[in-house]
């Protein structure tokens, strides 16, 4: 979030366009224990959560449905 906000601030200044909102709802899926791990090592477990256990949070993170609902609700707004 901090990098995205800083990038937006730079673009805003250069383009002379104000930042209207900082929104945490559009951040990526919180993959908890899988954050920072390689895709090759975690993809099957992540897919399993999304397809077979969409309501179960990943340890230390959020469920796929929590992510999906948070993200899509903000997009619809």
């Amino acid at each position: 979030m901090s990098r995205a906000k800083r990038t937006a601030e730079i673009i805003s200044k250069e383009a002379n366009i104000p930042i209207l909102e900082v929104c945490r709802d559009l951040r990526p899926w919180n993959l908890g224990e899988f954050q920072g791990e390689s895709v090759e090592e975690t993809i099957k477990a992540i897919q399993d959560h999304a397809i077979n256990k969409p309501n179960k949070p990943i340890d230390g993170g959020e469920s796929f449905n929590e992510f999906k609902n948070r993200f899509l609700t903000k997009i619809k707004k």
Side-chain angles (χ1 to χ4, degrees):
M1 284 295 294
S2 61
R3 284 190 330 209
K5 184 178 177 191
R6 182 67 189 130
T7 301
E9 289 168 347
I10 292 167
I11 293 169
S12 172
K13 182 179 176 184
E14 291 297 318
N16 198 29
I17 299 171
I19 296 173
L20 301 178
E21 178 181 5
V22 174
C23 175
R24 292 189 44 81
D25 292 335
L26 299 178
R27 69 190 183 283
W29 183 9
N30 181 347
L31 296 172
E33 67 181 357
F34 300 128
Q35 277 314 112
E37 299 295 327
S38 73
V39 173
E40 294 81 15
E41 294 176 12
T42 59
I43 191 68
K44 288 184 181 186
I46 293 169
Q47 287 174 333
D48 182 52
H49 269 275
I51 296 166
N52 300 314
K53 300 178 267 185
N55 292 312
K56 182 180 181 204
I58 293 174
D59 289 343
E62 64 186 331
S63 74
F64 178 72
N65 281 341
E66 287 170 329
F67 159 65
K68 180 179 75 173
N69 291 334
R70 168 178 51 82
F71 194 90
L72 291 179
T73 297
K74 188 61 177 181
I75 292 290
K76 289 176 185 176
K77 276 185 169 181

